[in-house]
């Protein structure tokens, strides 16, 4: 009989492209993955990996086995979810990712409530950008993720995932206090065309969104600084170095030298949780959703 953990090791190598990457995802050593694959080769009597330059590639036999492994692992996850649902208890471990402002603004209170209401549930939180966390949920590396999309650029939901809206968030513009528009009750984004801007890191969903949002009002973005944390971005605004589009959830203490100005045409984002359809019956999923609401 084929061993489930050995199938999982092979499936991870196929998914992530190397033995070392599979080891990182499975939280084991590279040697442990190699041993699992060697045992699987002996079980099947088939060669599963071949050298390919400095890496490896799957043989035809391995590709066939991976296709079956994907279905088997999916059924195992569904069986575990059904068992938890049948028992009705909120127990076990749940891995959860959230983008930084949600991790700071939503998760501490939610995790406190979960610990009080469901002491047998262990939630492991990590910060991830939605561009990274959605694929991780889809592949099964995470159980849930808190993600965002904007009213002018919805985030596509991949097949196999479900979502629930947690809240809506509005964005304002933070400009230096001596900016000509700093005293206005509201501004059109187009009025800031040509200004220098401060953005999050280039591999984040917020950076991509800022570039497209500014270009949509005929303003080619002039990004002068990049910083992931909103507190750092506001400090740069306070130093007179540029503007920031700032969601209210992400607003920390506004430092001296910064003016917050609403937009005439508001930019809003939806914050929502995503999880795999196969795990939807888990009481832990429902408990986390309730804590986040």
């Amino acid at each position: 009989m084929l061993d489930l953990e050995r199938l999982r090791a092979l499936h991870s190598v196929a998914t992530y492209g190397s033995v070392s990457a599979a080891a990182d995802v499975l939280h084991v050593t590279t040697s442990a993955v190699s041993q699992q694959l060697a045992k699987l080769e002996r079980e099947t009597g088939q060669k599963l990996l071949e050298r390919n330059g400095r890496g490896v590639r799957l043989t035809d036999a391995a590709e066939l086995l991976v296709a079956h492994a994907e279905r088997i692992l999916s059924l195992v996850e569904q069986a575990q979810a059904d068992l938890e649902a049948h028992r009705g208890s909120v127990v076990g471990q749940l891995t959860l990712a959230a983008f930084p402002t949600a991790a700071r603004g939503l998760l501490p209170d939610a995790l406190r409530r979960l610990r009080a209401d469901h002491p047998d549930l262990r939630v492991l939180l990590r910060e991830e950008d939605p561009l990274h966390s959605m694929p991780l949920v889809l592949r099964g590396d995470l159980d849930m993720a808190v993600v965002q999309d904007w009213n002018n650029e919805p985030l596509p939901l991949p097949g196999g995932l479900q979502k629930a809206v947690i809240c809506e968030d509005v964005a304002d513009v933070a400009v230096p206090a001596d900016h000509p528009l700093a005293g206005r009750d509201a501004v059109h984004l187009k009025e800031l065309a040509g200004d220098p801007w401060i953005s999050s890191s280039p591999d984040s969903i917020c950076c991509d969104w800022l570039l497209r949002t500014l270009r949509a009002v005929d303003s080619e973005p002039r990004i002068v600084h990049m910083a992931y944390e909103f507190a750092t971005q506001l400090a740069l605004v306070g130093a007179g170095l540029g503007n920031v589009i700032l969601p209210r959830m992400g607003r920390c203490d506004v430092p001296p030298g910064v003016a917050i100005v609403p937009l005439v045409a508001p930019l809003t984002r939806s914050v929502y949780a995503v999880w795999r359809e196969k795990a939807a019956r888990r009481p832990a999923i429902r408990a986390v959703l309730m804590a986040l609401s």
Side-chain angles (χ1 to χ4, degrees):
M1 182 178 293
L2 295 174
D3 182 88
L4 184 62
E5 292 309 310
R6 292 166 197 166
L7 289 176
R8 196 185 305 277
L10 179 63
H11 183 264
S12 296
V13 172
T15 302
Y16 300 101
S18 71
V19 173
S20 59
D24 289 340
V25 169
L26 296 172
H27 305 293
V28 297
T29 64
T30 302
S31 175
V33 173
S34 296
Q35 290 174 23
Q36 292 279 43
L37 295 176
K39 291 176 181 177
L40 188 58
E41 286 186 331
R42 290 196 293 271
E43 281 180 347
T44 60
Q46 299 277 347
K47 188 172 182 59
L48 301 176
L49 298 180
E50 293 178 341
R51 289 286 181 188
N52 183 29
R54 293 187 176 181
V56 295
R57 70 174 184 85
L58 273 64
T59 64
D60 290 344
E63 296 282 4
L64 179 65
L65 197 54
V66 165
H68 287 291
E70 189 164 341
R71 292 194 294 272
I72 291 167
L73 294 171
S74 175
L75 286 170
V76 169
E77 179 181 25
Q78 192 166 347
Q80 290 172 334
D82 287 347
L83 281 172
E84 286 187 27
H86 179 73
R87 183 168 50 185
S89 301
V90 181
V91 297
Q93 179 173 293
L94 186 142
T95 53
L96 172 66
F99 60 94
T101 51
R104 182 177 69 243
L106 294 176
L107 268 300
D109 282 345
L111 293 176
R112 176 182 54 78
R113 289 194 294 271
L114 284 167
R115 186 175 62 181
D117 295 342
H118 308 289
D120 293 325
L121 175 66
R122 184 180 177 219
V123 180
L124 304 180
L125 172 66
R126 62 194 254 194
E127 284 190 0
E128 287 283 356
D129 186 90
L131 291 178
H132 303 149
S133 63
M134 292 266 274
L136 292 175
V137 174
L138 192 60
R139 290 199 301 249
D141 301 330
L142 292 169
D143 294 309
M144 295 183 73
V146 178
V147 300
Q148 61 174 335
D149 64 11
W150 292 89
N151 60 338
N152 63 336
E153 190 175 325
L155 184 66
L157 184 72
L161 296 185
Q162 293 181 348
K163 72 175 185 178
V165 175
I166 298 169
C167 64
E168 302 290 328
D169 194 17
V170 179
D172 303 306
V173 179
V175 299
D178 59 358
H179 192 285
L181 302 178
R184 291 269 294 274
D185 291 335
V187 298
H188 290 279
L189 193 57
K190 193 169 185 175
E191 296 179 83
L192 299 166
D195 279 9
W197 290 89
I198 298 160
S199 170
S200 55
S201 56
D203 61 342
S204 70
I205 191 173
C206 291
C207 181
D208 291 343
W209 170 82
L210 176 64
L211 294 173
R212 286 190 280 269
T213 298
L214 293 175
R215 286 169 180 155
V217 294
D218 299 323
S219 173
E220 183 58 31
R222 184 157 63 93
I223 307 297
V224 293
H225 297 291
M226 289 187 169
Y228 204 68
E229 288 291 335
F230 281 127
T232 306
Q233 294 180 14
L234 283 175
L236 294 169
V237 175
L241 300 174
N243 307 333
V244 164
I245 295 181
L246 181 69
R248 292 176 186 175
M249 184 188 295
R251 189 184 304 174
C252 48
D253 293 335
V254 178
V258 177
I260 304 296
V261 186
L263 289 165
V264 173
L267 292 168
T268 61
R269 64 178 179 176
S270 296
V271 179
Y272 55 90
V274 297
W275 62 93
R276 289 182 302 284
E277 290 177 351
K278 296 181 181 69
R281 294 191 65 203
R282 287 187 65 188
I285 298 286
R286 295 196 296 272
V288 173
L289 286 174
M290 187 173 295
L292 286 169
S293 300

